[in-house]
Amino acid sequence: MKPAPFDYVRPETLAEACALLAGDEDARVIAGGQTLVPMLAMRLARPAKLIDILRLPELAGIREEDGAVIVGATTRQAIAERDPVIRASVPMLARVLPWVGHPPTRNRGTVGGSIANADPSAEIPLVAVTLGAEILLATPDGPASMSSDDFFIGPMLTTIGQGECVRAIRFPVWPHKRIGTGFFEISARKSDFAFVAAAAQVALDDDGHCLEVALGVGGVGDRPLRLDVSQLNGTRLDAASISGAINAASGDIDAMSDLHASAAYRRRVAVTLGIRALEAARDNAAATQRKGAR
Amino acid sequence: MKVDLRINGINRSAEVEPRKTLLDVLRENFLLNGTHAGCEHGVCGACTVLVDGEPVRSCLMFAVQADGYEITTIEGLAPAPGELSVIQDAFCETHGLQCGYCTPGMILAAHALLQNTLTPTREDIAEAISGNICRCTGYGQIIEAVQFAADRLRVANTPRPAALAEKPIVEAK
């Protein structure tokens, strides 16, 4: 349980970090290290060089602009969990953060690290895909961005290239007044890897009709999946509409099978948790008078 | 690589390999053996230390990453040699430990919790120690210990400043 030797570099600027990454294919980024260090300890990863980006000022901070909340890659999960901007404007992210790891790992683990790690059962990538977040990258040629759908391509696999690193995540802010969220997951113990997770966010008008809805499931396929339940727009999100929409949307889910859960189980639980998440989100939105009542 | 650390209020430096975890540097370079090495891959919580007052796993942090932070180990909690902190004493009183291997991590996790609130619910305590595995006690007495320590700290003459700012002090029931 001791990592193999490596060189450690802590660059002063993002450009320097990208140049270091571009110049060495055995170099890897480290920020919070909450997934990478166990991989190193078990020698499942043996990079020659670690580039520490945790203290780069360009990657820090949470700000709201142009209908989105931009969360810097090195924002620690514990900070995001307590952040009033995230709580008010990206409620689904605030809802799932207490389920990410344990308090000590959230104190070190970063939002960008969870995105870059792309674990199919991880909560933060699930929120990114479900809300259609944009992944902002730093590349040797300057800033770039990519949709979450294009970014996640498989288990622990992303389209991130050599010399690139995640700069920030741009979560869209819904303009509606009454927004609610729901989240459920099944795991062996709380905060262990989810066999199945479901996250929902809905917006209601003053009469309780659905204005906008987003539903995603994690841990089921090889990456987080957004389910198309747009047929719920305009309904009152009654039980029959919800289960009809989810059954229609989940028909062609390609589920994984492993020691813990079969593909059939995962598909079944995804439907059940999807229904619960949407119902919880609806009730949560109904209880919200207006977005200002934070 | 030379690394400068601030541990329990004292500046210390060491020449370490980058691959050496904070845990190993605390134990081997500075002989602070109260921080226990358990699984060494971030599962058990035995190696928990406080970094800027927040519990983190010292096996998941390299010492070269740790400069500039205020690091607190179990050795840094007691007010004087031969004495116990209120939380340490509460663990003894309520039999919150048997073999003691998880105890330093448990106490530091509890310490961080009680810096933020002196009126934790059972759920708050369970969440705070959820990253720490104990294979002896079944956790019941550990939760009791943290509640007992909170009770004592509430009625102590010098409540923690952070807790004071957070919530008004409530008399112990």
Side-chain angles (χ1 to χ4, degrees):
Chain A
M1 286 296 172
K2 307 289 181 195
F6 55 79
D7 291 331
Y8 173 84
V9 195
R10 196 193 294 163
E12 299 283 323
T13 67
L14 186 54
E16 202 186 323
C18 287
L20 283 164
L21 285 166
D24 185 351
E25 61 177 303
D26 289 328
R28 278 192 76 169
V29 166
I30 186 167
Q34 300 300 289
T35 306
L36 180 60
V37 180
M39 301 279 284
L40 296 174
M42 292 184 276
R43 304 207 177 189
L44 297 170
R46 298 181 72 139
K49 193 184 280 175
L50 289 186
I51 318 289
D52 189 347
I53 61 165
L54 188 63
R55 303 189 196 193
L56 290 176
E58 297 103 314
L59 302 181
I62 299 164
R63 62 185 196 280
E64 187 161 5
E65 62 179 48
D66 303 334
V69 169
I70 297 172
V71 181
T74 57
T75 304
R76 290 182 294 126
Q77 293 152 7
I79 300 290
E81 189 181 349
R82 297 192 287 263
D83 187 77
V85 173
I86 290 180
R87 196 165 297 171
S89 300
V90 196
M92 184 193 280
L93 183 59
R95 167 79 70 155
V96 307
L97 278 164
W99 295 84
V100 179
H102 296 284
T105 61
R106 292 200 292 277
N107 282 333
R108 287 287 296 164
T110 63
V111 173
S114 178
I115 291 287
N117 189 52
D119 190 304
S121 66
E123 293 85 358
I124 297 171
L126 171 61
V127 173
V129 168
T130 305
L131 293 181
E134 219 179 328
I135 314 298
L136 309 184
L137 302 172
T139 76
D141 305 324
S145 74
M146 195 181 279
S147 78
S148 312
D149 291 339
D150 295 333
F151 184 79
F152 298 106
I153 51 176
M156 331 300 272
L157 283 178
T158 69
T159 45
I160 204 154
Q162 194 183 336
E164 301 179 349
C165 79
V166 176
R167 185 161 50 92
I169 300 92
R170 191 172 185 278
F171 293 96
V173 176
W174 288 10
H176 316 288
K177 284 188 297 186
R178 299 171 79 195
I179 295 175
T181 58
F183 178 77
F184 291 93
E185 71 175 36
I186 298 278
S187 57
R189 288 162 295 269
K190 179 172 185 280
S191 283
D192 273 12
F193 295 104
F195 304 148
V196 180
Q201 185 164 304
V202 305
L204 301 180
D205 69 11
D206 292 340
D207 299 326
H209 292 98
C210 177
L211 292 169
E212 191 167 355
V213 55
L215 174 68
V217 292
V220 180
D222 61 355
R223 72 195 98 163
L225 301 170
R226 182 183 168 128
L227 302 183
D228 180 9
V229 287
S230 53
Q231 69 184 79
L232 288 171
N233 286 332
T235 70
R236 299 186 70 90
L237 294 172
D238 52 286
S241 306
I242 287 177
S243 67
I246 291 182
N247 281 314
S250 60
D252 53 355
I253 289 182
D254 202 1
M256 301 181 296
S257 194
D258 62 19
L259 277 176
H260 301 291
S262 67
Y265 172 83
R266 283 193 155 90
R267 220 175 284 120
R268 207 165 65 235
V269 175
V271 169
T272 305
L273 293 190
I275 291 171
R276 283 187 204 166
L278 274 175
E279 288 178 346
R282 174 199 63 201
D283 297 344
N284 183 225
T288 312
Q289 282 310 303
R290 46 169 288 114
K291 198 176 157 193
R294 290 160 187 173
Chain B
M1 252 179 116
K2 182 167 180 285
V3 55
D4 299 309
L5 301 175
R6 189 167 168 79
I7 305 166
N8 299 330
I10 299 166
N11 293 323
R12 316 184 76 160
S13 46
E15 189 64 40
V16 300
E17 271 189 87
R19 64 167 166 164
K20 201 160 184 183
T21 60
L22 177 60
L23 166 67
D24 286 342
V25 169
L26 289 172
R27 291 179 58 84
E28 293 169 12
N29 295 65
F30 301 127
L31 304 180
L32 293 166
N33 293 321
T35 305
H36 289 170
C39 69
E40 298 189 307
H41 65 289
V43 175
C44 73
C47 68
T48 302
V49 300
L50 303 183
V51 172
D52 285 349
E54 295 176 332
V56 307
R57 303 190 191 301
S58 62
C59 75
L60 293 189
M61 189 170 184
F62 295 111
V64 290
Q65 296 175 286
D67 62 291
Y69 297 115
E70 194 73 44
I71 297 160
T72 308
T73 69
I74 190 71
E75 289 90 348
L77 288 193
E83 293 184 17
L84 296 176
S85 77
V86 172
I87 301 174
Q88 287 172 311
D89 191 55
F91 270 68
C92 299
E93 286 282 321
T94 62
H95 300 274
L97 65 151
Q98 286 178 33
C99 85
Y101 208 84
C102 71
T103 311
M106 288 286 181
I107 287 176
L108 285 163
H111 181 86
L113 171 71
L114 298 185
Q115 288 288 315
N116 289 321
T117 174
L118 287 181
T119 52
T121 63
R122 192 184 164 83
E123 288 68 36
D124 294 338
I125 298 170
E127 172 71 4
I129 63 165
S130 66
N132 297 62
I133 293 176
C134 171
R135 291 298 188 228
C136 303
T137 64
Y139 303 100
Q141 286 139 274
I142 294 177
I143 290 174
E144 203 183 310
V146 181
Q147 280 167 334
F148 186 46
D151 289 347
R152 281 185 170 178
L153 287 167
R154 270 203 305 272
V155 296
N157 284 331
T158 52
R160 307 310 94 176
L164 202 60
E166 185 114 319
K167 280 180 194 168
I169 296 184
V170 183
E171 282 296 315
K173 291 186 184 96

